[in-house]
Amino acid sequence: MSRGMITRGEMQTLYRKRKIKKRIIYIVSCLVVIAVFCFVCVKVLDFCMPKKARTIAYEKQFTFGNSRIFAYSYNDSIQLALDNMKDSVDEQEDELPMDPFINGSNWADLSKYYPTGLSASEDYYENVVFIGDSRTEALMLYSGISSLNAICYKGLSVDKLETKAWVTLPGETEKMTCYEAVSRSFYDSYYLMFGVNELGWSNIDLFIEDFSKLIDHIYSVNTNAIVYVVSILPVTKAKSDSGTVYTMERVQLFNDHLLQMCKDRGDVIYLNLSSAIVDSDGYLPSDASQDGIHFNSNYCKPLIEYIQNNIYYKR
């Protein structure tokens, strides 16, 4: 064999290498073509999608999650819609007072929070928790929402949050204090429902101090939390007239102090949930409760609807 000649075996090896190289180039080329085709299709569909359809998609996604999730996981048109909604609120800040009345005298610092203006679905409750007493228990039991989380106990008051191991975390059986439960869990939003067990206190300032301390504890666990201070729900007229503790005068007095606490802090939202169930005279309707204090299952629906229609997010 002459010097420099390629053997038959070497020829076969070289042929196989060239064949493999061609197949790789072909596969890569196909993948690139498919990727370009998909990209073009997405752009064409996005361009051709009617504006109305985009709006419906945005509302649905917003309803099933919070803004921090959908704004970055859906598409650019949704992010633009969210930005436009926030810009609209920004433009109205000079016109709106610091005590905006949204469906019932809620209060929020509009420089820090903005109302969504949309109704949340039941999925919203997966990432929120209600903390409170027996009225919170009733809401949890009668709401009909399986995903509703609650840290509550009958007779719980703000002065017992650090000392009484009465509550359990959702899905668990171990008893612990309310502060321990907050430290061992993590939610996007916290609804605080206290006050009915404290109506007999002579020192309202102590009530506000303990309440505010709970808020501080929540923020120490979750600095990005959204905290709602829920108004003390009303009592029936019969209950109010029967004594000196569970009266609407006392309820209103405590609510006034809670509202002032929210304004002084500026980092929480006052949710006037009472407005969802009061009668024309400002009392809990007589058919809403057997004892004049604890509402029945029929009155859970308007409470849940009010909560779902009054959602706020941080700026």
Side-chain angles (χ1 to χ4, degrees):
M1 184 180 295
S2 302
R3 189 175 181 179
M5 294 284 293
I6 299 177
T7 64
R8 183 180 182 84
E10 290 175 335
M11 285 289 293
Q12 291 177 344
T13 300
L14 183 61
Y15 175 76
R16 284 195 296 269
K17 288 181 178 180
R18 288 179 177 176
K19 190 174 183 180
I20 293 173
K21 184 178 180 180
K22 288 182 179 180
R23 288 182 178 178
I24 293 175
I25 294 174
Y26 175 77
I27 293 173
V28 171
S29 300
C30 289
L31 292 175
V32 171
V33 171
I34 292 173
V36 172
F37 177 77
C38 292
F39 176 80
V40 171
C41 288
V42 169
K43 289 298 181 180
V44 170
L45 289 174
D46 185 66
F47 178 79
C48 295
M49 184 184 295
K51 185 176 181 181
K52 181 178 180 181
R54 294 187 183 188
T55 302
I56 294 174
Y58 160 71
E59 291 178 350
K60 181 178 180 181
Q61 184 68 12
F62 188 93
T63 296
F64 281 88
N66 61 48
S67 60
R68 287 170 293 172
I69 294 176
F70 77 73
Y72 297 99
S73 64
Y74 202 62
N75 60 38
D76 293 338
S77 62
I78 291 176
Q79 179 62 53
L80 179 60
L82 177 62
D83 292 339
N84 290 337
M85 180 176 66
K86 293 178 69 176
D87 291 341
S88 176
V89 175
D90 291 336
E91 293 173 358
Q92 298 176 21
E93 280 190 343
D94 293 336
E95 303 174 5
L96 290 174
M98 284 303 293
D99 299 345
F101 294 115
I102 310 296
N103 286 345
S105 304
N106 300 334
W107 183 90
D109 185 342
L110 292 182
S111 67
K112 299 176 181 178
Y113 300 94
Y114 64 96
T116 65
L118 299 174
S119 179
S121 74
E122 291 186 7
D123 292 350
Y124 168 75
Y125 296 103
E126 294 179 358
N127 297 314
V128 307
V129 64
F130 292 80
I131 304 176
D133 47 39
S134 55
R135 283 175 156 185
T136 311
E137 282 188 330
L139 190 65
M140 178 183 66
L141 293 173
Y142 301 137
S143 66
I145 299 176
S146 59
S147 59
L148 194 148
N149 305 297
I151 299 173
C152 56
Y153 191 79
K154 179 180 179 181
L156 188 60
S157 54
V158 292
D159 61 329
K160 299 180 175 68
L161 302 179
E162 293 183 271
T163 58
K164 298 297 183 180
W166 287 351
V167 304
T168 59
L169 284 171
E172 299 185 13
T173 58
E174 179 186 354
K175 293 285 186 178
M176 64 190 76
T177 68
C178 182
Y179 272 49
E180 290 172 337
V182 169
S183 297
R184 293 169 58 176
S185 58
F186 195 91
Y187 295 94
D188 292 338
S189 300
Y190 297 74
Y191 289 80
L192 310 184
M193 303 177 67
F194 290 102
V196 68
N197 293 322
E198 295 89 338
L199 289 177
W201 289 17
S202 59
N203 191 342
I204 302 181
D205 291 337
L206 183 60
F207 166 70
I208 295 300
E209 181 181 334
D210 289 340
F211 206 120
S212 188
K213 188 177 179 180
L214 171 60
I215 297 172
D216 291 336
H217 180 63
I218 291 173
Y219 282 134
S220 71
V221 175
N222 181 3
T223 56
N224 292 319
I226 298 178
V227 177
Y228 295 83
V229 174
V230 181
S231 64
I232 303 172
L233 297 177
V235 297
T236 62
K237 188 177 188 305
K239 184 65 179 179
S240 181
D241 293 342
S242 66
T244 60
V245 175
Y246 299 104
T247 67
M248 278 309 302
E249 289 77 11
R250 295 288 292 174
V251 171
Q252 188 57 54
L253 177 63
F254 274 67
N255 279 338
D256 289 343
H257 279 74
L258 285 176
L259 175 57
Q260 188 59 51
M261 177 196 70
C262 294
K263 293 180 179 181
D264 292 341
R265 292 186 60 101
D267 59 355
V268 294
I269 298 160
Y270 180 78
L271 190 70
N272 189 14
L273 189 59
S274 302
S275 61
I277 55 175
V278 293
D279 61 19
S280 57
D281 296 321
Y283 294 94
L284 183 67
S286 58
D287 64 341
S289 173
Q290 292 184 344
D291 62 2
I293 299 176
H294 300 92
F295 48 86
N296 57 41
S297 58
N298 292 332
Y299 280 81
C300 278
K301 183 177 180 180
L303 294 176
I304 290 297
E305 288 179 348
Y306 187 90
I307 293 170
Q308 291 178 180
N309 291 328
N310 290 271
I311 306 298
Y312 291 76
Y313 285 116
K314 288 186 175 182
R315 292 189 179 279

